[in-house]
Amino acid sequence: EFGEGVKTVGKYVLRNCYKLKIVNLPSTLTTIGRFAFSGSTGLTELDLSSTSISALTSYSLDGNIYLEKIKCF
């Protein structure tokens, strides 16, 4: 879980965390860095609707073959 007030998930922070299933993102989040969640194959759903993110950086979700749903609004 990223606490309220966090604005950025840095590059490579959770790369290849294959046991990662749920990510709670704060409303203050504006940026997800390159490769931040890449290879985190346990992640099946990502909810960005309560964040302030307007775009994802390249490869931030690369290789997440089981990611079925990204909620943006």
Side-chain angles (χ1 to χ4, degrees), residues 1-6 8-9 14 22-29 31-32 37 43 45-53 56 71:
E1 182 170 321
F2 293 92
E4 199 62 34
V6 171
T8 301
V9 175
L14 295 168
I22 298 170
V23 179
N24 295 314
L25 301 171
S27 63
T28 53
L29 191 68
T31 306
I32 294 178
F37 297 107
L43 193 60
E45 188 172 319
L46 187 61
D47 186 352
L48 302 174
S49 63
S50 64
T51 70
S52 299
I53 292 175
L56 293 172
K71 185 175 179 183

Side-chain angles (χ1 to χ4, degrees), residues 21 43-49 56 61 64-73:
K21 295 187 185 297
L43 193 60
T44 58
E45 188 172 319
L46 187 61
D47 186 352
L48 302 174
S49 63
L56 293 172
L61 298 170
N64 290 319
I65 57 174
Y66 299 109
L67 185 60
E68 298 174 356
K69 181 178 179 182
I70 299 175
K71 185 175 179 183
C72 299
F73 303 103

